[in-house]
Amino acid sequence: MSRIVYVLNGPNLNLLGKRQPAIYGYETLADVEADCRRTGAELGLEIEFHQSNAEFMIIDWIHEARERAAGIVINPAAFTHTSVAILDALNACEFPIIEVHISNVHRREPFRHHSYVSSVASGVIAGFGTQGYTLALQRLARLIGEAGKTAQAS
Ligand code: CA2
């Protein structure tokens, strides 16, 4: 069974650590990637880490993950609140999906309170800073492990 996990990041997250540290902290996206790779190694997961400002790139990575991965951690950034296309792509996946937001979106502007992605996510993490990514990987490892056990038992 696959142990590949895609960690996908939406628009402007390439600016992490370089602007608005009061909201998003001081860690850069490269730091987040290193954290994910370290945690992934501890959990026996192979990490495919990507960021794009283009919606179609994120959709293409979801399609790729659908063919070869065991799960997705996704911070769709602003596409969270706008993209039916990303929701449709995620709906075609049969593995667990964890939605991550660095900030607590529910404490921010009302337009950030609705997420298209949450309806297809196994779980949502918001407001834990960049630590949310490693928490999401820990949960995903548990869910993937459980799926593996069920498959073996049946
Ligand atoms: O809290 C999150 O992780 C968000 O997904 C971040 C998105 C925002 O649109 C969502 O509502 C919540 C924005 C990502 C932009 O990241 C920046 C980082 C540093 C400087 C500027 C933007």
Side-chain angles (χ1 to χ4, degrees), residues 11-13 15-17 19-20 24 75 77-78 80-81 100-103 105 108 112:
N12 299 306
L13 284 166
L15 298 177
L16 210 58
R19 297 272 187 284
Q20 297 185 266
Y24 299 114
N75 182 348
T80 308
H81 319 296
V100 172
H101 298 288
I102 297 164
S103 64
V105 282
R108 301 182 64 191
R112 295 186 202 276

Side-chain angles (χ1 to χ4, degrees), residues 8 11 31 40 56 60 66 72 75 82 84 91 93 115 117-118 124 127 129 139 142 147 149 154:
L8 300 179
D31 295 331
F56 78 91
D60 283 354
R66 195 176 153 266
I72 289 180
N75 182 348
T82 62
V84 175
N91 255 323
C93 299
S115 163
V117 172
S118 296
V124 182
R139 179 64 186 156
R142 178 82 72 94
K149 276 179 209 151
S154 58

